[in-house]
């Protein structure tokens, strides 16, 4: 399903964000990557969700750490929510298009529909301004920390990434270490973050 998500994002030029449990489904090194969403997430990811006109959510659980105040979450967006578990759809967030099913099949179907529409009209340039705005958010407020003479946990995580070439499987317990790993290790493959 991760490969289909990448294809969907690249075909339609869609910025991508993930919840904590979805990290690695889309490569954090990709230009379309915005970062993790939510209370501990990246500025660009949260701004994009709160200003989007369409939000495609794949297997996301909309807990309060992702949504914040539910009435303000993606308030301008039509929300498409894909999940294999029908009880997860509309559990916390009202959605416009519920899709119950395997995410790989659902995304493949969406790609087929989009390809049919794109065959007649090239609308990819329609959201160049949106992509520029998102890029400005990424550049203006990246996740960071104050570097000084002390060894910071965030720096240790960045060094683990550098030393392993991003090939490590990261495990965390619950707590600040979990958030630092999610924020500062650029996950590029599924199933490389094992966390609660």
């Amino acid at each position: 399903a991760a490969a289909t998500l990448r294809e969907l994002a690249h075909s339609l030029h869609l910025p991508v964000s993930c919840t904590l449990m979805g990290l690695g489904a889309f490569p954090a090194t990709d230009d379309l990557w915005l970062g993790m969403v939510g209370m501990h997430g990246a500025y660009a990811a949260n701004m994009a969700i709160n200003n989007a006109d369409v939000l495609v959510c794949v297997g996301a659980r909309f807990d309060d750490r992702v949504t914040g105040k539910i009435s303000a979450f993606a308030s301008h967006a039509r929300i498409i929510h894909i999940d294999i578990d029908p009880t997860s759809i509309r559990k916390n967030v009202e959605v416009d298009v519920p899709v119950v099913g395997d995410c790989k099949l659902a995304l493949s179907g969406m790609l087929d529909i989009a390809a049919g529409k794109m065959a007649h009209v090239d609308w990819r340039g329609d959201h160049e301004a949106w992509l520029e705005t998102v890029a400005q958010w990424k550049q203006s407020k990246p996740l960071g920390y104050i570097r000084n003479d002390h060894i910071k946990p965030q720096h240790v995580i960045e060094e683990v990434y550098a030393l392993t070439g991003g090939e490590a499987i990261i495990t965390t317990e619950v707590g600040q270490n979990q958030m630092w790993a999610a924020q500062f290790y650029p996950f590029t493959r599924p199933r490389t973050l094992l966390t609660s």
Side-chain angles (χ1 to χ4, degrees), residues 50 67 69-76:
N50 286 319
T67 64
K69 184 178 173 184
I70 289 179
S71 62
F73 177 76
S75 60
H76 306 292

Side-chain angles (χ1 to χ4, degrees), residues 18-71:
C18 288
T19 63
L20 174 67
M21 299 308 288
L23 292 175
F26 192 84
T29 53
D30 193 287
D31 288 341
L32 292 172
W33 174 248
L34 299 180
M36 183 174 69
V37 67
M39 142 189 317
H40 298 284
Y43 177 79
N46 288 314
M47 288 296 289
I49 284 178
N50 286 319
N51 289 281
D53 56 2
V54 175
L55 189 61
V56 179
C57 303
V58 182
R61 189 184 75 162
F62 295 112
D63 64 22
D64 60 346
R65 290 183 190 108
V66 169
T67 64
K69 184 178 173 184
I70 289 179
S71 62

